[in-house]
Amino acid sequence: MGLCDEGNIGGGAVFADTYTDLGINNSSFSDNASYYSGGAVYQHSDGDLSIDASTFSGSWTEYGNGGAVYAHPVTAGAYDLLVTDSAFTNNEAEY
């Protein structure tokens, strides 16, 4: 997993690379930005992503998908995405 200070590739706060499982718990992400997908979090290729009791607000992408969170599978059904007890407000994406 690598951090992207400016979100140049994806994930303004967190970029999880290929085959990395990522768990986000009791966290708050606000006003993050990414040029590509995943304003706050970008999960790349074949890793599981779970989000629990977390908030995402005011994050955005300049060009891409997932104003707050983007999970990018290599193949359909290649990963699990689970979101529980979390809130998403005022996040924006181009697509």
Side-chain angles (χ1 to χ4, degrees):
M1 176 172 46
L3 298 177
C4 297
D5 292 334
E6 297 175 359
N8 291 334
I9 297 170
V14 177
F15 179 88
D17 208 352
T18 306
Y19 305 113
T20 300
D21 293 336
L22 177 62
I24 297 171
N25 301 297
N26 298 312
S27 300
S28 179
F29 295 87
S30 62
D31 302 319
N32 295 281
S34 172
Y35 183 75
Y36 293 109
S37 298
V41 176
Y42 187 107
Q43 170 70 23
H44 188 273
S45 304
D46 295 333
D48 295 340
L49 174 58
S50 64
I51 299 170
D52 180 56
S54 297
T55 60
F56 294 82
S57 63
S59 295
W60 57 278
T61 65
E62 179 78 20
Y63 180 80
N65 302 297
V69 176
Y70 182 75
H72 181 271
V74 171
T75 56
Y79 68 95
D80 289 324
L81 171 62
L82 177 65
V83 178
T84 54
D85 299 322
S86 297
F88 295 81
T89 57
N90 300 320
N91 299 290
E92 297 181 28
E94 180 69 22
Y95 300 102

